[in-house]
Amino acid sequence: MTELRVKAEGIPETIAVLRKARPDAGTAWIGKALLRAGFLVQKLAAEKYIVRGRAKGAPPLPNRLTRRSGSGGLVDSITTDRVAATTVVVGTNKIYAPLHEFGLGHFDARPFMQPATDEASQDFEAIFRRAWSEQLP
């Protein structure tokens, strides 16, 4: 499987602050928060950063990934998986995904995962705080 990984900064720091505030809170909330954050990245990548409705044969948009009508291979392949207690992977198994994300040779980069992660990261602290507060008695 081809992997395309992006990293969000600040999550370990947020977890540390919340754990310090309430050390007896357990860790189940971390997995819940990570999944919520991952699903947000997945949704943004699939619905916002891949432009839909381009006609078959239409030229690509500069610096934007497009989805032709009726096709959904890349969009449908984006998944969120919890692979460990504190690790969630959002990505795709499509071999051509890195070509779109990073570009190669005469193919311009048309990123969709990193912009989605960057946008979603603005909400990560709130997602973690909400999951933490939901599990408190």
Side-chain angles (χ1 to χ4, degrees):
M1 176 167 143
T2 301
E3 283 190 11
L4 175 60
R5 290 179 180 238
V6 292
K7 184 176 181 179
E9 302 291 335
I11 290 176
E13 292 84 359
T14 301
I15 292 171
V17 167
L18 295 173
R19 277 186 167 168
K20 186 176 180 180
R22 183 79 187 264
D24 62 332
T27 59
W29 64 273
I30 297 170
K32 184 185 287 189
L34 285 169
L35 279 172
R36 286 179 183 166
F39 288 135
L40 178 58
V41 172
Q42 177 182 344
K43 179 181 169 105
L44 288 170
E47 295 179 7
K48 183 173 182 180
Y49 289 99
I50 299 178
V51 178
R52 297 172 188 237
R54 299 284 292 166
K56 189 171 186 174
L61 295 173
N63 302 318
R64 290 298 304 266
L65 187 57
T66 58
R67 172 183 176 182
R68 290 183 182 87
S69 298
S71 68
L74 183 59
V75 168
D76 294 340
S77 74
I78 301 170
T79 61
T80 301
D81 299 301
R82 186 171 175 188
V83 296
T86 59
T87 305
V88 169
V89 175
V90 181
T92 172
N93 63 353
K94 295 297 184 185
I95 196 165
Y96 53 85
L99 174 69
H100 290 303
E101 186 75 17
F102 304 113
L104 178 67
H106 67 279
F107 290 104
D108 291 334
R110 294 176 290 162
F112 59 100
M113 292 299 295
Q114 190 62 57
T117 303
D118 292 344
E119 182 174 336
S121 69
Q122 298 170 26
D123 295 326
F124 286 172
E125 184 174 343
I127 289 169
F128 276 80
R129 287 185 182 278
R130 180 176 166 217
W132 181 74
S133 66
E134 285 174 352
Q135 60 84 43
L136 294 175

